[in-house]
Amino acid sequence: MQSLIRQIVQSELAEYTEQFSLQEKAISDLTRRLNNLIRVGAVSAWSENHKRIKVQCGGNETPFIKWFSACAGDVAEYRLPSIGEQVVLLNIGDGDSLATCIALIGVPSDKFPLPTSNPNEILRVYPDGTRVCYDKEKHQLDVKVAGVANVVVDEDATVNVGGNAKLTVSGTTKVTSGGDATVDAPKIKLNGGTGVVTGAHKCMVTGLPHGDCSSTVTAGV
């Protein structure tokens, strides 16, 4: 009797057991896909054109994929991620393939830690030692260029300094102007010398303004 009851129960539950097995497989597959949606890895290689990267994530490596940039429209920015830079992989596909990932770069790590712990600094550093730092508490911008700096302005340029300005050049200095060069100041001092005689000065002998004056370099009194 017990055997008959057991057979009847098993027969009635057979359909549900199969459904439970299918649901278990579906849940297991869904869990695997969810685990692959967001992962942490490190840049392992660059593409030949330096527009794609591979990311090592555990024992897996992505094919060449894109990375997030600060802007990528009519305003664009480019920075090739460093080898070993930590990233977050976002799988925008179904979570079943690393080929559908995009890398969110710039996650600090032991290899590439944050360059400062000062909460008032907005700082960018470069491998050669070049630094651009703004201290919002001091209202101070510091730029240190380790190599050569070039600034090209296609049209007009204006620089306004509210306080004092100082220019120090260790080597030679050359200023070239395609038009007139004008310097206006209450006093102009060159090499700490004595006063300069201009065409407006009167001759001590004749009492008349000096006549033999430069027509190229002029100065006011």
Side-chain angles (χ1 to χ4, degrees), residues 1 3 47 105-106 126 139 142 156 173 186 192:
M1 186 67 178
S3 176
S47 65
I105 63 175
Y126 297 86
H139 309 292
D142 292 315
D156 295 344
T173 303

Side-chain angles (χ1 to χ4, degrees), residues 70 77-79 115 122-126 129-134:
E77 180 178 282
Y78 175 82
R79 180 186 72 84
I122 297 94
L123 171 65
R124 179 180 283 255
V125 298
Y126 297 86
T130 295
R131 297 165 53 93
V132 179
C133 180
Y134 179 72

Side-chain angles (χ1 to χ4, degrees), residues 116-175:
T116 182
S117 58
N118 185 342
N120 294 310
E121 288 184 341
I122 297 94
L123 171 65
R124 179 180 283 255
V125 298
Y126 297 86
D128 64 352
T130 295
R131 297 165 53 93
V132 179
C133 180
Y134 179 72
D135 190 309
K136 58 186 180 182
E137 184 178 45
K138 297 178 181 178
H139 309 292
Q140 179 175 316
L141 175 66
D142 292 315
V143 179
K144 179 184 181 298
V145 180
V148 177
N150 293 298
V151 178
V152 178
V153 181
D154 289 336
E155 297 186 13
D156 295 344
T158 301
V159 178
N160 292 315
V161 180
N164 298 324
K166 180 180 180 180
L167 174 64
T168 302
V169 180
S170 298
T172 60
T173 303
K174 179 180 180 182
V175 178

Side-chain angles (χ1 to χ4, degrees), residues 167-191:
L167 174 64
T168 302
V169 180
S170 298
T172 60
T173 303
K174 179 180 180 182
V175 178
T176 302
S177 174
D180 294 344
T182 302
V183 178
D184 290 323
K187 286 186 177 182
I188 299 175
K189 302 177 181 180
L190 300 175
N191 294 330

Side-chain angles (χ1 to χ4, degrees), residues 9 18 31 33 37-39 44 49 53 63 67 73 82 89 110 123 129 131 155 159 164 195 207 212 219:
V9 172
E18 183 179 356
T31 300
R33 292 172 184 267
L37 287 179
I38 302 177
R39 304 180 71 179
S44 57
N49 64 2
I53 57 174
W67 69 81
S82 303
L89 282 176
D110 292 340
L123 171 65
R131 297 165 53 93
E155 297 186 13
V159 178
N164 298 324
D212 189 12

